[in-house]
Amino acid sequence: MHDRTGKPRDGEPTIEDVAAAVGVSIRTVSRVLNKSPKVNAETRQRIEEAIAALNFKPSARARALAMGRSFLIGLIHNDRNALVLDSIQRGVVAVTAKAGYELIVHPTPLESAAAISDVLAFVERSRVDGLVVLPPVSGVPGLAEALAEAKVPAAALSSVPIAGFADVIVSEEREAGAEVARHLLDLGHRRLGLINGPADTFSATQRREGFLAEAGNGGASVIEAPGDYGFGSGVAAAEHLLALADRPTGIFAANDIMAAGLLKVAASRGIAVPGELSVVGFDGSLLTQMLTPALTSVMRPFGEMAGAAAARLIARIEGDGTPPPCEGRMQVVAAESTGPAPG
């Protein structure tokens, strides 16, 4: 029973009351609440007026039960870099919050069978409506197929295209690695060093291949050292490279954290940066501004890319089509750690 304003006599107004007052479906009211562009202006205005007249306040729990969804999005990762992960989470939350979804962050192992089992168990336990899967987890063999078979909507980020995911935001990391080499070549460096990331990840192999190809085209030699994206591996690689009799004059560390380790070793050995040694990192995280000298790095808009993946995922969940693509354009941002090659 309703009074003349359309408000129920007992209890709080519901989404059903709003839909009945306007003469539309619950789904149409939900789209207006979620700010979907799928509702025309006249209908949207009528629904908003009914919401105001009824003093309707959406209940997240009631909304989820009515639509058979949890309004939860899972973020799957295996990333030790807190600064990068923070940027990613902010990018995703900026999208999910506007659409009425909450974010659950879940770290997972990288071994194939364990990763697949862990992610599927997380989905079952949390009842998320879909997943945003970050690298390197997105590259785990069989994961995309397992999620598709389980009918779990998932959008991924990767440095290479991955079959099986409905949506993949690809970052051109091979080209970014090449741009680092061009930056050092343009400064006159011909003896280059490379501190690699984990050899079993797409990101590290793409950065390496791009850097080596462009360095070779420019007539430069490259001495490589292994790394794992951790600070300790950056220090160990730097100790090796900087102890060489004919040490590199320009070194590319495949992420900012390893570059920080390189700068630490250079300082301890009294090697001036950039006077005697130029250093380039990768990620463009806040760390680049915290270091002395400020670090030249590849700016990677990971937050924007993760937000785009979340937007595509939500559009797919709600059947509202696919938002415009995100290119994930990266570029070298020069700072204080690079300069002309020493004479």
Side-chain angles (χ1 to χ4, degrees), residues 144-196:
E145 292 79 6
L147 291 173
E149 184 177 350
K151 294 182 170 35
V152 179
L157 275 70
S158 175
S159 55
V160 297
I162 302 176
F165 287 108
D167 292 293
V168 181
I169 303 293
V170 177
S171 54
E172 299 295 339
E173 300 192 26
R174 192 181 196 281
E175 175 54 33
E179 188 175 341
V180 172
R182 285 194 294 271
H183 176 69
L184 293 172
L185 289 169
D186 288 346
L187 290 169
H189 296 275
R190 293 299 180 270
R191 294 197 314 277
L192 303 180
L194 172 62
I195 302 177
N196 285 299

Side-chain angles (χ1 to χ4, degrees), residues 273-314:
V273 178
E276 299 174 82
L277 173 69
S278 285
V279 176
V280 183
F282 198 108
D283 282 331
S285 66
L286 180 62
L287 182 62
T288 62
Q289 304 168 43
M290 300 167 67
L291 295 169
T292 301
L295 180 65
T296 294
S297 182
V298 175
M299 183 63 65
R300 180 170 57 155
F302 226 6
E304 176 187 334
M305 294 160 58
R312 289 189 178 195
L313 174 64
I314 291 171

Side-chain angles (χ1 to χ4, degrees), residues 29 132 139 189 249 268 313 317 333:
V29 177
V132 174
H189 296 275
T249 64
S268 70
L313 174 64
I317 291 169
V333 176

